[in-house]
Amino acid sequence: METAAVRLQGVHKFFGFVHALREVDLTITRGEVCVAIGPSGSGKSTLLRCINQLETISAGRVFLGGELQGYREIDGRFHVLHPRKIAAQRRRTGMVFQRFNLFPHMTALQNVVEGPVQVKGLRRMEANAKAQALLDRVGLHGLGGRYPSQLSGGQQQRVAIARALAMEPEVMLFDEPTSALDPELVGEVLDVIKDLVASGMTMMLVTHEIAFAREVADHLIFMDQGAVVEAGKPREVLANPQNPRTQAFLSKVL
């Protein structure tokens, strides 16, 4: 069995003349937590979006569980997959965004139920039961009937996590999940992520919470100008960075 849950080989991404990702090589093994840190605009979020196929890479390869994402490769030539196949591949990852992106006209329970019913064809009664269990898991017992406007930011983000988990993804991707929250609400979201870490979920997390990265990461990467300039065990990278750019960044945030 392929031991790598996610594998990137020589990935580049251009937005016009902007070189957003530069020759990114990365492997995340099953059950591993990979955390990406770095300054704003360094390519961290773009990297997640390329793994999730919300952005199309300009060069290189992305594999999920050994399967090439977005393309078929035949005799060294790439052929773009049909959108339905790309959508099926995308369902193997769960994405949690900075902004919660909940449907405002649906309750918390309905937000979690919608994907399994509409995309996976789950019976609504079964989907409701699973959704309620997930809301309980993220600490929202009894709040399934509330609309997003009736929930705090931290509660909305926990609904978003439950919604992603409802699709039973192989890999969870978190794009700065606490950046839009008031400071006193950050801890409740981080506690949910810690629970997922303890359960053995494979995940990649982009965050500015350096102490949290040190605590949960198995593998830490530092990105700058679209490139991974340093990688290793989090305590080693954070305590003794080797790259001058990493040293400069950490000197300002630690």
Side-chain angles (χ1 to χ4, degrees):
M1 179 182 292
E2 171 77 32
T3 58
V6 179
R7 184 158 46 92
L8 281 69
Q9 295 178 335
V11 170
H12 291 262
K13 175 62 181 177
F14 288 90
F15 294 103
F17 294 108
V18 177
H19 200 170
L21 293 177
R22 302 170 183 263
E23 196 71 28
V24 174
D25 294 305
L26 177 66
T27 298
I28 305 172
T29 60
R30 296 181 187 276
E32 184 179 58
V33 179
C34 178
V35 176
I37 63 171
S40 297
S42 59
K44 307 183 300 298
S45 295
T46 299
L47 181 60
L48 289 188
R49 294 176 67 86
C50 286
I51 294 172
N52 190 241
Q53 297 194 71
L54 293 175
E55 298 288 353
T56 303
I57 62 175
S58 304
R61 296 174 177 85
V62 176
F63 296 89
L64 191 67
E67 180 184 3
L68 181 64
Q69 301 294 286
Y71 301 90
R72 286 182 298 120
E73 187 174 1
I74 302 174
D75 297 329
R77 300 186 67 177
F78 290 96
H79 303 267
V80 178
L81 294 178
H82 190 279
R84 283 200 298 269
K85 177 61 175 175
I86 291 176
Q89 289 184 335
R90 187 179 293 124
R91 289 199 293 272
R92 298 173 66 185
T93 59
M95 187 85 166
V96 178
F97 300 90
Q98 297 178 39
R99 297 290 175 177
F100 324 122
N101 292 345
L102 300 178
F103 296 114
H105 63 289
M106 293 183 178
T107 65
L109 185 69
Q110 289 169 338
N111 266 279
V112 178
V113 163
E114 195 67 10
V117 169
Q118 298 298 330
V119 179
K120 300 183 71 175
L122 207 63
R123 293 180 180 177
R124 190 164 292 274
M125 183 177 296
E126 183 181 357
N128 280 336
K130 289 188 174 184
Q132 188 58 65
L134 285 171
L135 289 174
D136 291 348
R137 180 179 180 181
V138 299
L140 296 176
H141 179 74
L143 299 182
R146 294 192 183 182
Y147 290 90
S149 62
Q150 299 172 312
L151 299 171
S152 70
Q155 290 170 333
Q156 290 183 63
Q157 190 62 293
R158 284 184 279 158
V159 174
I161 293 172
R163 179 179 61 182
L165 290 171
M167 298 300 290
E168 299 180 331
E170 298 172 31
V171 180
M172 284 286 285
L173 306 171
F174 292 89
D175 186 7
E176 299 189 26
T178 61
S179 66
L181 302 179
D182 292 333
E184 66 268 23
L185 302 178
V186 169
E188 62 190 47
V189 173
L190 296 184
D191 285 343
V192 171
I193 297 174
K194 287 179 186 177
D195 176 69
L196 296 179
V197 172
S199 74
M201 172 71 71
T202 305
M203 64 180 72
M204 183 168 184
L205 176 72
V206 169
T207 185
H208 290 295
E209 303 284 343
I210 303 298
F212 183 69
R214 181 189 291 111
E215 181 179 356
V216 303
D218 299 300
H219 184 67
L220 183 77
I221 65 173
F222 174 78
M223 295 187 67
D224 187 47
Q225 297 184 359
V228 176
V229 300
E230 190 156 357
K233 295 292 184 181
R235 294 185 184 277
E236 295 174 5
V237 173
L238 295 174
N240 189 30
Q242 301 300 302
N243 186 281
R245 184 65 188 90
T246 315
Q247 295 170 0
F249 176 81
L250 292 176
S251 70
K252 297 177 181 177
V253 298
L254 290 180

